Amino acid sequence: MVAREGDASSVEDRVARPTNADVARLAKVSTATVSYVLNNAEGSRISARTREAVYAAAEQLGYRPNVAARNLARGKGGVVLYVVPRVAVGDMPIEAGNRMTTELARHGLLQVQIFETEDDQQVVDAIGNLDPTAVVSMFPLSSRVRAAVGAAKVPHIEIGLLPALGDPLLSVGTLRVGHLVSRGHHRIAFAYTGIAKWRALGDYWFEGVARAARLHDLPSISVGEVTPDNVAAVVAGWVREGVTAVCAQSDEIAGLVLFGIREAGLRCPEDLAVIGVDANPMGAFSSPPLTTVEFDPTALATVAIAAVLTELGYPVPSAPEPTEIARLVVRAST
């Protein structure tokens, strides 16, 4: 066989791949210490300064541990299961998941993305069949999936609750409520989906809106479930109560509220302002165009990757600083 030019460079790259001995020399520690640190061995008394030196050396050299051996020792296959929510939250979970897939692959970890289903059987089966080293989700998992994760005895990393994101519930709620207050609104309602399966995500965002409202000394948030059949009546009832603005649990539900406003013979934003969350691209073309909150998938992915690597004992030079994950997109609906 005639060697191609690319073959030689490929062999050279493999030969030149740094080892744990290279990391040890650069960090000025023993190879045993490198192994203890990078494998997050229990019972080893290693100072934070030494750990940081090892992580920094590994990062500088581009060292990757023998992931296959490590996973065999752990009895795992190196699979990270990423659960993509089935609720409407725009493209953000997919974009963040794609970035995570690429970065985790550099550490020899295979991320498998699986979409939630109505009964969660697909996710439960994946946990049983793939034997993952960790399960990652953007939002809370259902009780059935949580039970499967617990039975598998693997870590669950919920991105929305990671400390490096600060307090996303309050920060997103503050963006929405603060904007409405700046437009003169003080009586606010929250629109839930009428589909029980998606209620948990509504509870997630409602908590942030309610907390932000209390910080602004606003009256209690009015709450309603909206469906295509009842939305006009719900909207009309809010207006009669003196509500002047609605926070919806998603852009999809915000679009339904806009439909209800038209069906009730009302105007947006003159009679009722509406703000969504998740920056669905179609919101720019609703009537009127929808004010919403847009998330930064890069920031979310960066925080999630650090959390996964830390949980599994891979080198992470330093914990990410708390970061802003969202921005307000102001349009005509408010």
Side-chain angles (χ1 to χ4, degrees):
M1 178 182 293
V2 177
R4 293 172 296 179
E5 182 179 347
D7 294 335
S9 63
S10 177
V11 171
E12 183 179 348
D13 288 343
R14 288 196 295 270
V15 172
R17 179 175 176 176
T19 66
N20 65 345
D22 298 321
V23 175
R25 278 192 293 272
L26 183 58
K28 297 185 169 92
V29 298
S30 68
T31 54
T33 297
V34 170
S35 179
Y36 286 140
V37 172
L38 298 186
N39 286 288
N40 201 26
E42 296 181 1
S44 57
R45 296 182 179 180
I46 299 174
S47 69
R49 183 176 180 180
T50 299
R51 289 181 182 276
E52 194 66 27
V54 171
Y55 289 147
E59 180 73 14
Q60 181 178 334
L61 293 172
Y63 171 73
R64 291 184 299 172
N66 188 330
V67 177
R70 172 187 285 179
N71 289 332
L72 284 172
R74 291 176 172 175
K76 297 292 179 183
V79 170
V80 174
L81 188 65
Y82 175 52
V83 182
V84 181
R86 69 183 294 270
V87 295
V89 286
D91 294 333
M92 178 266 294
I94 298 296
E95 292 180 22
N98 288 341
R99 293 175 185 273
M100 289 163 57
T101 297
T102 300
E103 185 59 32
L104 292 177
R106 292 175 182 156
H107 293 78
L109 293 167
L110 173 63
Q111 178 171 285
V112 175
Q113 296 187 171
I114 187 160
F115 290 79
E116 287 182 320
T117 54
E118 185 66 34
D119 62 0
D120 291 321
Q121 186 62 48
Q122 187 171 333
V123 181
V124 171
D125 288 345
I127 293 171
N129 296 333
L130 296 176
D131 195 21
T133 58
V135 175
V136 181
S137 66
M138 191 68 64
F139 300 112
L141 297 173
S142 70
S143 58
R144 188 179 183 204
V145 176
R146 288 199 307 272
V149 173
K153 297 181 180 179
V154 296
H156 170 221
I157 296 145
E158 186 180 318
I159 298 173
L161 297 182
L162 293 173
L165 296 182
D167 189 342
L169 295 183
L170 183 58
S171 62
V172 173
T174 298
L175 277 176
R176 302 168 83 187
V177 173
H179 171 67
L180 294 176
V181 169
S182 74
R183 295 294 173 94
H185 300 286
H186 294 90
R187 290 291 308 277
I188 298 173
F190 186 88
Y192 273 99
T193 176
I195 301 174
K197 173 71 177 181
W198 297 1
R199 177 80 186 200
L201 184 60
D203 291 339
Y204 185 86
W205 292 127
F206 174 74
E207 180 183 339
V209 169
R211 288 166 60 189
R214 288 194 293 270
L215 291 177
H216 283 277
D217 293 323
L218 301 184
S220 297
I221 302 293
S222 298
V223 174
E225 292 186 358
V226 296
T227 68
D229 295 330
N230 77 354
V231 64
V234 172
V235 163
W238 279 335
V239 171
R240 286 194 300 270
E241 294 171 6
V243 170
T244 61
V246 176
C247 288
Q249 80 165 58
S250 68
D251 279 7
E252 184 178 70
I253 299 304
L256 184 56
V257 172
L258 291 176
F259 167 75
I261 290 172
R262 291 191 297 273
E263 289 293 294
L266 301 170
R267 301 164 300 163
C268 176
E270 292 85 356
D271 298 315
L272 196 63
V274 181
I275 184 170
V277 61
D278 68 36
N280 188 306
M282 295 306 297
F285 305 102
S286 63
S287 180
L290 181 66
T291 296
T292 187
V293 174
E294 182 178 52
F295 295 98
D296 181 352
T298 300
L300 287 164
T302 298
V303 170
I305 290 162
V308 171
L309 294 178
T310 298
E311 182 69 42
L312 298 181
Y314 288 80
V316 180
S318 58
E321 295 294 327
T323 182
E324 294 294 331
I325 61 167
R327 70 180 186 91
L328 193 66
V329 179
V330 179
R331 300 191 182 113
S333 70
T334 55

